[in-house]
Each structure stands twice: as C-alpha cells, then as structure tokens.
Amino acid sequence: MSRALRRLAAFMFCFVLAGCAFRVQESHLVRPMPAPPTDLDALRAAYPAHTATETRIETADGASLYQLRLQRPDARATVLYFGGNGYRIGLHAKFALRAYEALPVDLVLVDHRGYGGSTGTPTIAALQADALQVYDALRAETAASGRPLIVHGQSLGSFLAGHVADARTLDAVILESSMTTTEDWAAAMRARSGFWTRLAVRGFDIAPALRQAGNLEIARRLDEPVLFVVGERDVVTAPRFSQALYDATPLPPQDKRLEVVPERGHNDASSSPQFRAAMLALLDRVERD
C-alpha cells in the first residue's frame, strides 16, 4: 500500500494544473510484481524451528498460486497470511517469520496472483476469489487436526482476510494496517498532499470495482474473534481507521481487540512485543471454543 500511495501521489501531482477529479483505478493498487524464488536454504538456516515446504494451488482460470508453509512441532494453530501490496514471499517471507517466530503457530504464506511466484493477472475480484479458494483448501486439510485456522491480512491483504471472514465463519481474523473504504483512503491521501495538489484535485472518481471497497461494512457483520493491529505512526492507514473498524464491530469486548503499536509504521506493527502478546491472548480465546 505504501508503494501505491507514492504512485498515486505522483499521478495526482500531474493534475495540479488541471483542476479536475482524479480517477483511482485498480492498477493503482494491484499490478503484476514478479520476484526471485524463495531462498529456502537461507530461511531454514535462519529459522531452524520451522520446516519449510513449497506448494501450489491451481485456480479455475489457469492461475497458479505459490504457497510457502512453515511448520513447527509446538504449533497450537495455523495462520494463513495475506500480505500487502508489493508483498512477495521470495523477498518478504522473513518479515512474516520475524512476527511469528516466537509464536506457537504454523504459518502459510501466499503470493497474490501475478506477484512473486504466482501467475495470473491481479484484479480485486480475482484476488478475493483466490483468497477463498486458498482458505477452503487449507481448512479442508487442517480440519482433522482440530487446531484453529486464523486468517491474518496486512494492508491490501486485510481486505482479502476481511472478504474471507465475510464469506466464511473463521476461528479468528487479524486485520493489520486496514482501512474503512477506498473513499476514506483517497480523502486521507488528498489531505496529506501539498497545498497546490489539494487545490487542483477537487475530488476522486473511484473505479467501480473499488467503490466502498474496504472493511467497514464487513466489520459490521463480523461474527468471529477479531484482532485489529496498526502502527501508531502509520501514515498510510492511520490508527483512526482501525479504531473506526473496531467501533463498528458488533462483538462483545472479549471477542475484539484493537492494538495500536507505539513507534511502528505501516508495515511493521506485527513485528512487536505488543502483537505477540495480543496473538497469544487470541490463541487462548479461540482454543476455548
């Protein structure tokens, strides 16, 4: 999302003299981003407690989704992780592992279609369909173990995690660096831009696929334990948006939690002692069901 923010700000600057509405398109948020293969030997050396395995899921429209599974013998749950815009396992698996290395969970990472080791053309609708397929396949595999399956989405990935939570009843969901709506995000970016850009860009023309996209309406329907996580210094999806999502969630206090992590920004809120403590509390909560 931070890379998308920089691209969109640059496009907005081009409209300074035009005095018109700026069109926010899907390509501003998702576009193919290949990456080098995952260095499994390096990961295994850095995280010897985990067993790393590569797998793939084939979609009905011919895309092939790359997964990396990281298992440990003391796991109490499985976490399915959807990264943000620009997240690619070959480059960024270490960041998810850093967040989870001290937590007793198996971790399943997925490259969005068109990203990293996955093929296909990314669109919001396609990413949502892929997220459901990945979740359903993993749920079928883990059902026999009786262990909880938790879905964690960061930034763009939080929209996919929210979509899965809206379509399925999960053991729990983690929404990190999330957003209410595309319209709120665009308005926040305009507010952060320079004076001349704000003067020139009178509004936004949101592409139909993105209108009201986000987690606000989904939060109002959540029926599983949820952990909202956001960095105190996040300037892309500011803490007030996670607060709005938390407030909109009609769950009792014991089933929802908002963790605003001090000294953290958009991409590192989960790499913190606060997240680990919140995650252990969430594990205790879902194991009681």
Side-chain angles (χ1 to χ4, degrees), residues 53-72:
T53 308
E54 296 174 305
T55 62
R56 285 193 170 275
I57 288 184
E58 309 302 321
T59 70
D61 65 351
S64 179
L65 307 179
Y66 172 72
Q67 291 184 330
L68 180 65
R69 301 189 179 195
L70 299 142
Q71 298 171 292
R72 52 189 295 163

Side-chain angles (χ1 to χ4, degrees), residues 72-184:
R72 52 189 295 163
D74 62 343
R76 295 165 51 189
T78 298
V79 173
L80 172 60
Y81 182 87
F82 295 112
N85 184 350
Y87 185 89
R88 288 152 290 173
I89 295 171
L91 297 175
H92 304 121
K94 58 187 176 184
F95 297 111
L97 273 164
R98 189 177 301 160
Y100 277 100
E101 66 175 318
L103 291 165
V105 299
D106 290 340
L107 191 58
V108 179
L109 310 178
V110 184
D111 272 335
H112 306 312
R113 66 164 56 207
Y115 288 65
S118 294
T119 66
T121 300
T123 65
I124 298 298
L127 296 184
Q128 289 176 333
D130 292 345
L132 283 175
Q133 182 176 347
V134 169
Y135 171 81
D136 288 342
L138 188 58
R139 171 61 86 181
E141 289 182 30
T142 60
S145 71
R147 292 188 312 196
L149 174 55
I150 299 170
V151 180
H152 180 172
Q154 191 270 335
S155 193
L156 173 66
S158 75
F159 303 148
L160 305 183
H163 179 72
V164 174
D166 200 39
R168 306 287 188 267
T169 298
L170 310 184
D171 293 313
V173 61
I174 303 168
L175 302 178
E176 179 186 352
S177 306
S178 195
M179 181 47 89
T180 48
T181 66
T182 305
E183 289 81 356
D184 286 346

